[in-house]
Every structure is written in C-alpha cells, then in structure tokens.
Amino acid sequence: MSDKITIAVSKGRIYDEAVPLLAKLGIVLIDDPNKSRKLILDTNQANIKILIIRATDVPTYVERGAAELGIAGKDVLMEYSGDSLYEPVDLGIAKCRMMLAGLKDAKPVTDRPRVVTKYTNITRNYFADRGQQVEIIKLYGSMELGPVLGLSDWIVDLVDTGNTLKANGLVTLDHIADISSRLIVNKAAMKMKNALIKPIITQLSDIVENNGS
Ligand code: PRT
Ligand code: MG
C-alpha cells in the first residue's frame, strides 16, 4: 500500500482559506501556486502533495482516486452527479449563499420563467420541489447579465456580499442553500489508507469545532 496522500484544492478563495487550516494540521506548502506553474505542489511532509485544479473538477479527481482527499464547495458537490464520495467535514470556509435573484423593478413573470445559471441541476431540483415550470439556460459566467439583457427573468447564483447583484440592479428573491467548503474523501482510500486519513478527518473536525483555534 502506498502511503501517499494527494489533496485536491482549487486556486482562489478556497485555496486561500484552506492553507491556514492545513497549516494547523502541520501541513505547510513549500511551493506557492500564485508564483509557480506547478500543478502538483510539495508540502513539508514528503508523502503529502497538494493538487491545484479547477473547482468543478475536484469531485471527479477524488471520486476516481486520482486524489485521496479534496476540498470542494457545497455548490460544486450539489451540482456533481457522482454519488460515491465521503463528505466527513464541513470546513466552514469560502461561505456564501445560493440564491434566486431577479431585476429590482421586474415585471410580473410569465408562466414559464427563464432562469440563467451555471448550476442547472441545483436549479432544476429547486423548481421541481416547488412544482414550478421554468426554462433553464446554462451559462458559464456573468449570470447577472441574464435579466439585464432580457435573456432571462431570473438567475440562480452564489452571493456573498451582494455587491455583484446590487451593481447590476438585481435583488435576491429566495434563499436556496447555505454554501461552505467540505472535505471530501475517496471511498476506497478511506478503507485502504485509513491510518493516514482518519487522523486528518479527526483533527480537521476538532479545528473547525473549536472555531479555528
Ligand atoms: O473561477 P473558476 O471558473 O476556476 O472556478 P470557480 O468560479 O468555481 O472558482 P472560485 O474560486 O471563484 O470559487 C470556488 C468556490 O468558492 C465556489 O465553488 C464556492 O463554493 C465558493 N464561493 C464563496 C464563491 C463565492 N463565495 C462567491 N461569492 N464562489 C463564487 N462567488 C462569486 C459569485 O458567483 C458571484 O459572481 O462571487 C460573486 C458574488 O459575490 P458578491 O460578494 O458580490 O456577492
Ligand atoms: Mg470563479
């Protein structure tokens, strides 16, 4: 059995908030992804590497065992269609809310409102639960433009400060889910490398419960 552990993380806000958490476990990055083009980063522990990939790819790498562990937003996990991942710890980082939003001075919507989003599964489930017919239009970014340019009535997107919505004349209409990042674990690795993975889970849970101290 290999004693190597690879942790998949996305660059940006998750990486920025994950680094201090990992440091509390004694896992310290040697390479800086903001200065290096390396995608597999060394840490101070010879058997632990950090993989830097796109946020939406993290569940795929972990489910298929290319990485034993990963850190992924609940939004990405809710949208992901695979179902064989363990999700043992809510890390409480990169927090935001999944919201339905629309134009501030919107006209009443038609019987089949159009919704732009990059989260088509979450949006489909949300409206199915409410028994409301909608037309879902997939976009990969700048969702806020949908209602502004008449592409859609509503958007489903993540909101943190609310500044992006406000700057585009949009208001929130409903709260769909609270979002934070989770530790995810490959199922086979959980069995095969339990001696390495279990302490990481336990320590991370303790750190999060004690509010990061
Ligand atoms: O950028 P890339 O396409 O590679 O991937 P990504 O956009 O998924 O990565 P990144 O780093 O932007 O987001 C990673 C994770 O951070 C997401 O999956 C969420 O779990 C989490 N997160 C937390 C957020 C936000 N807060 C957030 N505010 N992700 C995105 N946003 C965006 C939001 O989509 C909107 O465009 O920020 C804007 C709104 O912010 P406010 O502060 O103006 O409300
Ligand atoms: Mg982004």
Side-chain angles (χ1 to χ4, degrees), residues 96-179:
C96 57
R97 288 149 291 140
M98 182 73 68
M99 301 294 289
L100 178 69
L103 279 180
K104 193 159 172 267
D105 305 306
K107 297 192 201 90
V109 291
T110 55
D111 14 317
R112 195 159 178 261
R114 291 157 301 152
V115 189
V116 297
T117 187
K118 94 176 168 185
Y119 301 99
T120 53
N121 294 336
I122 293 171
T123 302
R124 193 178 313 105
N125 292 336
Y126 168 76
F127 284 105
D129 285 348
R130 295 168 31 133
Q132 183 166 13
Q133 293 275 341
V134 292
E135 182 186 348
I136 298 169
I137 303 164
K138 168 118 189 179
L139 288 181
Y140 293 87
S142 305
M143 265 74 77
E144 303 80 20
L145 286 175
V148 176
L149 298 179
L151 183 61
S152 73
D153 299 287
W154 296 330
I155 75 170
V156 167
D157 195 13
L158 299 175
V159 177
D160 179 14
T161 61
N163 291 340
T164 305
L165 290 184
K166 201 171 168 202
N168 291 289
L170 301 175
V171 290
T172 56
L173 301 173
D174 199 13
H175 174 273
I176 298 175
D178 282 321
I179 303 295

Side-chain angles (χ1 to χ4, degrees), residues 6 12 21 112 142 191:
T6 302
L21 271 185
R112 195 159 178 261
S142 305
K191 288 200 196 83

Side-chain angles (χ1 to χ4, degrees), residues 156-207:
V156 167
D157 195 13
L158 299 175
V159 177
D160 179 14
T161 61
N163 291 340
T164 305
L165 290 184
K166 201 171 168 202
N168 291 289
L170 301 175
V171 290
T172 56
L173 301 173
D174 199 13
H175 174 273
I176 298 175
D178 282 321
I179 303 295
S180 55
S181 291
R182 315 299 166 104
L183 179 74
I184 57 173
V185 183
N186 173 269
K187 284 201 168 169
M190 184 76 116
K191 288 200 196 83
M192 307 295 289
K193 300 188 180 183
N194 196 265
L196 288 169
I197 291 175
K198 198 66 204 288
I200 295 179
I201 293 175
T202 309
Q203 288 173 53
L204 277 174
S205 305
D206 288 348
I207 290 167

Side-chain angles (χ1 to χ4, degrees), residues 7-23:
I7 309 174
V9 182
S10 58
K11 218 158 143 174
R13 62 189 101 214
I14 292 182
Y15 174 86
D16 295 342
E17 292 191 50
V19 165
L21 271 185
L22 293 173

Side-chain angles (χ1 to χ4, degrees), residues 17-27 71 91-93 204 207-208 212:
E17 292 191 50
V19 165
L21 271 185
L22 293 173
K24 285 179 186 151
L25 295 185
I27 302 169
I71 299 178
L91 299 171
I93 60 171
L204 277 174
I207 290 167
V208 172

